Amino acid sequence: MSARETAELLLQVGRLVQAEGYDGELSPAQWMALRFFARANPFSRTPSAFAEFQATTRGTATQAIKALEAGGYLVRQPFKTDGRSVSLRLTSKGKKTLARDPFEVLVRAVDSLDTTERTAMRRALHQVLSTLATSGARRQIGVCQDCTHFGREMCRNLPSTGPSAAECLLLSVPIQPEDVGLLCVHFQPMNEHLEDRRTP
Amino acid sequence: MSARETAELLLQVGRLVQAEGYDGELSPAQWMALRFFARANPFSRTPSAFAEFQATTRGTATQAIKALEAGGYLVRQPFKTDGRSVSLRLTSKGKKTLARDPFEVLVRAVDSLDTTERTAMRRALHQVLSTLATSGARRQIGVCQDCTHFGREMCRNLPSTGPSAAECLLLSVPIQPEDVGLLCVHFQPMNEHLEDRRTP
DNA sequence: TGCAACTAGTTTCGAAACAAAATTATCTGC
DNA sequence: GCAGATAATTTTGTTTCGAAACTAGTTGCA
């Protein structure tokens, strides 16, 4: 009974923030893209990754990106290793714009909660998201430090290199310390990775 | 720091549910209308009320309603007291359809939380919503029991009529016990009704 | 090498959602 | 009874979106 009420509150918050997204220079989808490319790690700054994050199609994602490029908020750079892929990066204009993100009102609203409430909400939302990800056929995108493939190698043989070095066990590449909090397309949640739901 | 992360989770949930709304017989806006008319109290089952709830225009609201009527999900009934207004009601088909609401996956996800987590989330969301409502110039629509105009008259002179009778102090009309949990257009939040932000 | 299957990204198209303005019908106050 | 307000609708043009078709680059396999 209270579940429905709570779920409706969730929906209402989402709708309100969506509506806020209209007042400004960018559309809600474009704000979303700007946010995503600001927070995505180097593997994940692609149209496809954004499409997955947005739970939309690649075609739609391309259009939002095209608009942002035309407006000078993003620049593209082809991948060296794969001629098909491109990497999107925020320009300084893009970064400045992000400071005016209407989404900031939500951040401030959440910030006005006290700490225990906020962490409780964070944990609850986390669980709701992973439940949703398993019930729908939707992938979720998360950050390296919460990922199955995240390997932390503690100060192995060189004490002078710092406290620890991180690595992606899936791609076998090192992860920069400043990147462990960024979003990654290859994210795999820690607990429920027992079965692969994507059947051929 | 954790505030931004939590806010992003909120946004993500909203976006996911929005995307779920596409797979099915109805569009997201139509699902929203169906949900609204299922949960609105007798004063509020009008196109205008839905438009306000959706934060959109009456014209747009009319179109969603028209589609639902054409599909046999809603029926209209003119008001007796006011020839301009119409009241929308779900048909049995509409009610049956609501059971397939893609939003139900969110309800189930919330339901999988344990009770303390759920109530913590509910309280936190409530607070976030009212913070948002004061910062943005957006009206929020809520239920009678949380409203300034809600008057509960405890068993006055007739012990046999039940424990209590409710009344809307704004409209001076009785509220049926089963209606106190329904949405109302005239909703006014309890705490921050000190000033009216809608200037002429 | 050569070819098929696959993947990343883009383009195109039609269906919607939407805002804004004009329109119709009804109600309220004077 | 008339002017102005209100509820709903219609119309028009713009924007957004998903689906599907398409281009180009990559991978696997013989």
Side-chain angles (χ1 to χ4, degrees):
Chain A
M1 177 57 224
S2 142
R4 166 163 276 100
E5 204 178 331
T6 308
E8 266 171 21
L9 285 175
L10 264 174
L11 205 59
Q12 199 155 350
V13 170
R15 196 170 47 76
L16 248 155
V17 173
Q18 170 87 2
E20 293 283 345
Y22 277 108
D23 60 272
E25 44 195 312
L26 301 179
S27 74
Q30 289 165 11
W31 279 118
M32 215 51 180
L34 209 56
R35 269 170 228 141
F36 176 79
F37 288 112
R39 291 248 309 143
N41 73 10
F43 313 129
S44 310
R45 295 177 190 143
T46 64
S48 293
F50 171 59
E52 199 159 355
F53 178 76
Q54 248 309 71
T56 185
T57 58
R58 288 196 302 257
T60 302
T62 294
Q63 293 182 21
I65 291 166
K66 199 166 58 175
L68 286 175
E69 268 188 285
Y73 301 93
L74 290 179
V75 284
R76 73 172 51 212
Q77 186 177 16
F79 265 61
K80 294 223 182 336
T81 54
D82 188 335
R84 297 167 302 176
S85 292
V86 293
S87 177
L88 281 307
R89 235 185 47 245
L90 267 69
T91 61
S92 58
K93 178 179 178 184
K95 283 176 197 160
K96 248 181 281 182
T97 305
L98 209 51
R100 297 193 292 278
D101 189 346
F103 165 71
E104 290 299 313
V105 303
L106 181 63
V107 176
R108 280 194 292 276
V110 170
D111 202 50
S112 75
L113 298 171
D114 67 52
T115 313
T116 57
E117 267 182 325
R118 192 163 60 227
T119 54
M121 182 152 96
R122 197 167 78 86
R123 288 203 318 120
L125 283 173
H126 236 279
Q127 193 181 325
V128 165
L129 261 184
S130 53
T131 308
L132 282 180
T134 48
S135 71
R138 195 72 68 182
R139 276 206 58 183
Q140 65 175 317
I141 285 190
V143 299
C144 285
Q145 57 197 356
D146 299 338
C147 178
T148 308
H149 306 124
F150 183 61
R152 192 184 289 278
E153 323 169 324
M154 316 258 168
C155 41
R156 234 181 2 202
N157 40 12
L158 293 170
S160 60
T161 54
S164 68
E167 180 190 8
C168 178
L169 301 175
L170 179 68
L171 304 175
S172 301
V173 294
I175 300 172
Q176 302 306 317
E178 68 267 27
D179 288 358
V180 298
L182 297 186
L183 301 171
C184 182
V185 245
H186 302 112
F187 176 76
Q188 190 70 257
M190 295 293 288
N191 298 318
E192 40 264 318
H193 57 97
L194 306 166
E195 62 200 355
D196 194 18
R197 248 165 290 96
R198 282 172 297 289
T199 52
Chain B
M1 176 59 226
S2 140
R4 165 163 275 99
E5 204 178 331
T6 308
E8 265 171 20
L9 286 174
L10 266 174
L11 206 59
Q12 188 77 4
V13 170
R15 175 65 214 176
L16 251 157
V17 173
Q18 166 87 3
E20 294 282 346
Y22 277 106
D23 59 271
E25 45 195 312
L26 301 179
S27 72
Q30 288 166 13
W31 278 119
M32 213 57 180
L34 208 58
R35 268 171 230 142
F36 177 78
F37 289 111
R39 291 248 309 144
N41 73 10
F43 314 128
S44 310
R45 293 177 191 143
T46 64
S48 293
F50 171 60
E52 196 159 357
F53 180 74
Q54 258 295 78
T56 184
T57 59
R58 287 196 302 251
T60 302
T62 294
Q63 293 181 19
I65 291 166
K66 200 165 56 175
L68 288 175
E69 268 189 284
Y73 300 94
L74 290 178
V75 284
R76 72 174 51 213
Q77 187 177 15
F79 265 61
K80 293 227 182 334
T81 54
D82 187 335
R84 298 167 303 175
S85 293
V86 294
S87 176
L88 282 306
R89 236 185 45 246
L90 267 69
T91 61
S92 58
K93 178 179 177 185
K95 284 176 195 157
K96 248 180 282 182
T97 305
L98 211 50
R100 296 193 293 278
D101 188 345
F103 165 71
E104 288 299 312
V105 302
L106 182 62
V107 176
R108 280 193 293 274
V110 171
D111 202 50
S112 75
L113 298 171
D114 67 52
T115 313
T116 57
E117 266 182 325
R118 193 163 59 226
T119 54
M121 181 151 98
R122 197 168 78 86
R123 289 204 317 121
L125 284 174
H126 237 278
Q127 193 181 325
V128 165
L129 259 185
S130 51
T131 308
L132 282 181
T134 47
S135 71
R138 191 74 66 187
R139 270 206 65 178
Q140 62 176 319
I141 285 191
V143 299
C144 285
Q145 57 197 355
D146 300 337
C147 179
T148 307
H149 307 124
F150 183 60
R152 192 184 288 280
E153 323 169 322
M154 318 255 166
C155 42
R156 234 179 4 200
N157 42 11
L158 293 170
S160 60
T161 54
S164 67
E167 181 190 7
C168 178
L169 301 176
L170 179 70
L171 305 174
S172 301
V173 294
I175 300 171
Q176 301 305 316
E178 68 268 26
D179 288 358
V180 298
L182 298 186
L183 300 171
C184 183
V185 246
H186 303 113
F187 175 76
Q188 190 70 256
M190 293 294 288
N191 297 319
E192 40 264 318
H193 57 94
L194 306 168
E195 61 199 357
D196 196 17
R197 248 168 288 96
R198 283 173 298 291
T199 53

